[in-house]
Amino acid sequence: MGGFMKQGRICILTSGRFAGKKAIIVSQHDSRANRAFPHAVVAGIERNPKRVTKRMGQKRIARKSHIKPFVKAVNLAHLLPTRYVVKDFQLDGINDEILKDKEKKLDAKKTLRKVFEKKYLNPTSAEDKSENTKFFFKKLRF
């Protein structure tokens, strides 16, 4: 199970506290060495940025563009994969070891927030401006 759930795939969590939230698969583990189920470490957006208009000032835009991230290990059965894949998000420092220590997890969330906000506010490459990245930052409506 999970042959197409590779690193960079955008998925939707289907259960738990973050049900309905989008996340990027950081790493996927089919083995049951450290957990009783096949799982994936995901990094996602807990609170999406708000809508911004042209009339708003720079301060207000900065305030509305905040992103609150999360990092979690999720059972593969509770992930709904999408067709979207992102490539150049710097998620190298996130792994199973970070989830065990609260301080490391907090630091990882801070760096994630910086990475997500940088990609959202200043899309530089063609990958940043692609439909895949836009889908990730857009709030899921259902």
Side-chain angles (χ1 to χ4, degrees), residues 45 47-53 56 60-68 88-90 112-125 127-130 132-139:
I45 297 179
R47 188 170 52 233
N48 289 69
K50 304 273 194 259
R51 186 167 289 153
V52 174
T53 61
M56 293 180 187
R60 195 166 189 192
I61 289 173
R63 191 173 57 234
K64 286 187 166 261
S65 298
H66 282 299
I67 296 172
K68 185 176 181 184
D88 61 347
F89 279 73
Q90 288 87 23
L112 257 180
R113 179 180 176 189
K114 288 177 186 172
V115 168
F116 286 167
E117 285 183 357
K118 181 182 170 199
K119 292 283 184 185
Y120 179 70
L121 292 172
N122 304 319
T124 53
S125 66
E127 173 69 28
D128 292 347
K129 297 175 185 175
S130 71
N132 299 350
T133 309
K134 287 179 186 175
F135 171 77
F136 179 64
F137 288 117
K138 202 171 187 184
K139 187 175 181 182

Side-chain angles (χ1 to χ4, degrees), residues 43 69-71 91 94 108-116:
F70 68 88
V71 179
L91 304 174
I94 299 169
K109 282 174 144 183
K110 286 179 183 177
T111 56
L112 257 180
R113 179 180 176 189
K114 288 177 186 172
V115 168
F116 286 167

Side-chain angles (χ1 to χ4, degrees), residues 5 9-25 41-50 66-72 74-75 78-82 84 116 135-142:
M5 296 237 211
R9 170 83 54 188
I10 296 176
C11 57
I12 300 169
L13 278 65
T14 58
S15 66
R17 177 179 171 193
F18 301 111
K21 303 292 182 184
K22 294 176 190 172
I24 300 172
I25 296 177
V41 177
V42 296
I45 297 179
E46 185 176 343
R47 188 170 52 233
N48 289 69
K50 304 273 194 259
H66 282 299
I67 296 172
K68 185 176 181 184
F70 68 88
V71 179
K72 189 174 179 160
V74 182
N75 190 333
H78 299 159
L79 290 177
L80 179 70
T82 62
Y84 300 103
F116 286 167
F135 171 77
F136 179 64
F137 288 117
K138 202 171 187 184
K139 187 175 181 182
L140 190 62
R141 304 266 181 199
F142 62 94

